[in-house]
Each structure stands twice: as C-alpha cells, then as structure tokens.
C-alpha cells in the first residue's frame, strides 16, 4: 500500500511548450530554494516521484518534474526522438522556467536523459544522480564500421517498423491491469509498492490516441542513435559530480551495466540499495532520499 498522504499528483501543475508541443511540469517547494529536476523513466511520468519530491522539497529544494514528450500528460506526436531530444526538453525547462544551474536526479531512461543534459550543457548542471543508469549499449562491444548498404538497409527497416509493428495492440495489452501489474512486479522487488495509483500512472498514457505513433517514433529514434549519443560515450565526457544508485535486485539494469559504468568512470561512486529492484526511489524512498540528500550536501558544500 502507498504511504499515507502519498500521491502521484504532487506539486503545482503547469504547461511548458517545447517546439509547439505541450509538456506537463510539476513544481514543489520554496521558490527561493536551489532547483532540483526529477526525470522519470520509460513509460512513467513525473508522478512516479511521488515519495521523493515532497521529501526533497521539505529539505529546502525547489523541485521540478517534467513529463517528457510522449509520456504522462505531455503531447504524444509521431516524432523520431531519442535521449538527445528529451534532453532538449529538459534544457528548455531549465533555460525558460528555472533560469539557473540545477541538480538532476534521473531514473532509468531519465538517468540517460539527465546524463545527456549534463554533457551537452555542463554549465547548467551542478550535480547528477543516475538511479540507475540504463542503456543497452553499456552491454555491447563498440560497433564495427558498417558498409553503407548495410546502414541503408537498417534505416529502411527502422522506417518500416512504424507500419509493421502492431503498436496499438502492444499498448492495449500493456494497459491491461493484470499484464501491467505483472510487468511492474517484475521491475519492483518491493512488490507491495505496486498499488492502484502506480497502475493508473502507467496505464493512462497508453490509452491516449497518440500513444501508438509516439511509441513508434521513440523506438525508431533510440534504435538509430549514433555512438556519441550512447551512455558509454556520454560517461566519458560528463564533468559534473555524479552518483550512481542501483537496487541490488534490479533485473532490468543488471549488475553488468554498473560494472561497465565503473570501468568507464572509476571515479564515480556507485551505491547499492539492498532489498530494491529497478525503482529504488519508489521502493525504499526513505533510504533513497536520505542517500541522495546526504551526497548532495557533501558534494555541493566541498
């Protein structure tokens, strides 16, 4: 069950437009506090930070959460996008609404987006928490040079995905409570946290009219990323302080990914939260929040 008073509908809700597309933004905390941006993972929304935003706000932070394009209550256009596109949306929030350097805490895909923001505009990111960082490229060897005909064939296959893959059927199945519940319980080690509020958070965007075309666009975009847009390349370039958090029982971002991060950046601390799966921020929020806040106090005061 959810903690008393805990809700996915936290903070003041407003709309921010990026390239004509509406993005839903949540804000909580004192207007004079230092800004902290929460970036959700794949298929989630800012409401997934239900147990974290209030705690960070209570600690004095001015907390923002944004529904990335294609997710939550934000627009769902057909747009071939990847982590660089989502990073532009976060940067738009920082530049237009916040207007000062921020701390970023990202979950899964959101961690990859936050890492992309920190590399593309280092002056705007004071510190970065990757909780966890998930990118399949961390498990792959560097790609070999492909012949141009192979690259053209790959591009054609990616374009055909929009028409050949039954996106609507996939989303319809995913939005069914029984199947969605199974998926979330596979991601969560603390399965009692998979409650009705969480199921609604994930299922509602799947039922919107633009969900299928939006999913097609983001799947095509992530599959066509150049090497410089992948986690290994971005990790080599990030300059701000970084903390990596991972649930010990995480099956979606396996230990091999964290080992790859450690090999690429041995200077980056990685802390494992026992008894948690892929969503440590929601499974054990008290420990997660305490770990992040303690690290930020130590890092930003030094």
């Amino acid at each position: 069950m959810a903690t008393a008073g805990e809700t996915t509908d936290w903070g003041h809700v407003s709309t921010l437009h990026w390239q004509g597309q509406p993005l839903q933004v949540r804000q909580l905390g004192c207007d004079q506090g230092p800004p902290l941006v929460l970036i959700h993972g794949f298929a989630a929304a800012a409401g997934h930070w239900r147990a974290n935003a209030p705690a960070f706000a209570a600690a004095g932070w001015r907390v923002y959460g944004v529904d990335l394009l294609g997710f939550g209550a934000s627009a769902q256009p057909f747009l071939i996008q990847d982590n660089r596109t989502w990073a532009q949306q976060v940067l738009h929030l920082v530049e237009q609404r916040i207007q000062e350097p921020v701390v970023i805490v990202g979950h899964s895909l959101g961690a990859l987006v936050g890492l992309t923001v920190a590399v593309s505009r280092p002056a705007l990111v004071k510190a970065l928490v990757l909780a966890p960082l998930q990118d399949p490229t961390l498990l792959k060897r560097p790609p070999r040079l492909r012949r141009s005909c192979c690259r053209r064939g790959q591009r054609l296959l990616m374009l055909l995905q929009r028409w050949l893959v039954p996106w609507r059927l996939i989303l319809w199945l995913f939005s069914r409570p029984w199947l969605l519940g199974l998926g979330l319980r596979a991601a969560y080690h603390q399965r009692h946290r998979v409650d009705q509020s969480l199921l609604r958070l994930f299922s509602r965007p799947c039922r919107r009219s633009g969900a299928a075309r939006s999913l097609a666009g983001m799947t095509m975009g992530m599959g066509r990323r150049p090497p410089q847009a992948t986690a290994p390349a971005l990790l080599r370039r990030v300059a701000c302080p970084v903390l990596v958090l991972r649930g010990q029982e995480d099956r979606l971002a396996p230990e091999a990914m964290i080992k790859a991060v450690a090999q690429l950046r041995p200077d980056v601390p990685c802390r494992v939260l026992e008894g948690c799966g892929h969503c440590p921020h929601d499974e054990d929020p008290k420990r997660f929040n305490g770990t992040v806040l303690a690290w930020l106090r130590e890092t930003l005061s030094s």
Side-chain angles (χ1 to χ4, degrees):
M1 298 296 292
T3 303
E6 193 176 278
T7 173
T8 58
D9 188 21
W10 57 266
H12 171 72
V13 177
S14 63
T15 300
L16 177 71
H17 285 84
W18 174 80
Q19 295 189 1
Q21 301 289 347
L23 306 175
Q24 180 168 283
V25 177
R26 295 183 179 274
Q27 181 178 345
L28 187 65
C30 176
D31 289 341
Q32 285 71 47
L36 184 149
V37 178
L38 302 170
I39 309 178
H40 63 81
F42 184 79
H48 201 196
W49 300 100
R50 57 183 177 172
N52 316 107
F56 293 141
W61 292 88
R62 176 170 27 118
V63 183
Y64 294 85
V66 57
D67 290 359
L68 300 173
L69 197 66
F71 300 111
S74 291
Q76 294 180 321
F78 173 71
L79 178 66
I80 298 178
Q81 58 178 337
D82 57 32
N83 48 293
R84 295 169 298 173
T85 321
W86 289 309
Q88 292 174 25
Q89 296 156 29
V90 175
L91 281 170
H92 187 66
L93 169 66
V94 175
E95 294 170 339
Q96 298 299 316
R97 183 75 60 85
I98 303 174
Q99 299 183 341
E100 61 177 297
V102 302
V103 166
I104 292 178
V105 181
H107 170 244
S108 195
L109 174 65
L112 179 62
V113 173
L115 179 61
T116 309
V117 173
V119 170
S120 59
R121 295 293 298 277
L124 291 181
V125 182
K126 295 189 292 185
L128 177 64
V129 179
L130 310 175
L133 174 63
Q134 185 183 31
D135 189 343
T137 61
L138 288 166
L139 303 178
K140 296 180 180 179
R141 296 179 179 179
R144 296 179 180 178
L145 183 64
R146 296 190 179 104
R147 295 181 179 180
S148 59
C149 61
C150 294
R151 291 195 295 269
R152 286 195 296 270
Q154 184 185 42
R155 286 196 294 269
L156 177 61
L157 181 61
M158 295 299 296
L159 288 172
L160 288 174
Q161 281 186 348
R162 183 183 181 186
W163 309 109
L164 297 180
V165 177
W167 300 109
R168 291 185 183 277
L169 176 60
I170 291 171
L171 286 168
W172 183 85
L173 290 171
F174 184 76
S175 67
R176 298 304 91 189
W178 64 272
L179 188 57
L180 176 58
L182 286 175
L184 288 173
R185 290 182 181 92
Y188 276 62
H189 185 69
Q190 298 290 337
R191 296 179 179 179
H192 68 279
R193 293 288 292 168
V194 181
D195 54 23
Q196 290 302 312
S197 294
L198 192 69
L199 291 171
R200 285 193 296 270
L201 178 80
F202 279 83
S203 64
R204 282 177 177 172
C206 298
R207 298 169 182 166
R208 295 169 58 196
S209 61
R213 63 173 181 260
S214 184
L215 177 60
M218 63 182 70
T219 302
M220 293 164 63
M222 289 296 287
R224 293 172 55 182
R225 287 181 298 161
Q228 62 267 26
T230 61
L234 294 168
L235 281 167
R236 294 186 185 99
R237 297 175 57 194
V238 67
C240 71
V242 179
L243 171 66
V244 176
L245 293 175
R246 176 183 180 269
Q248 187 179 42
E249 308 298 329
D250 190 346
R251 290 178 285 182
L252 301 184
E255 187 177 3
M257 284 190 181
I258 305 304
K259 289 182 177 179
V261 172
Q263 291 176 350
L264 290 164
R265 291 298 300 265
D267 58 311
V268 170
C270 176
R271 299 179 187 173
V272 177
L273 299 182
E274 297 178 358
C276 293
H278 188 59
C279 304
H281 67 290
D282 196 48
E283 297 181 61
D284 193 346
K286 184 176 181 179
R287 187 153 47 121
F288 179 92
N289 298 338
T291 300
V292 171
L293 290 169
W295 180 77
L296 288 175
R297 283 193 297 268
E298 178 184 354
T299 300
L300 299 180
S301 62
S302 59

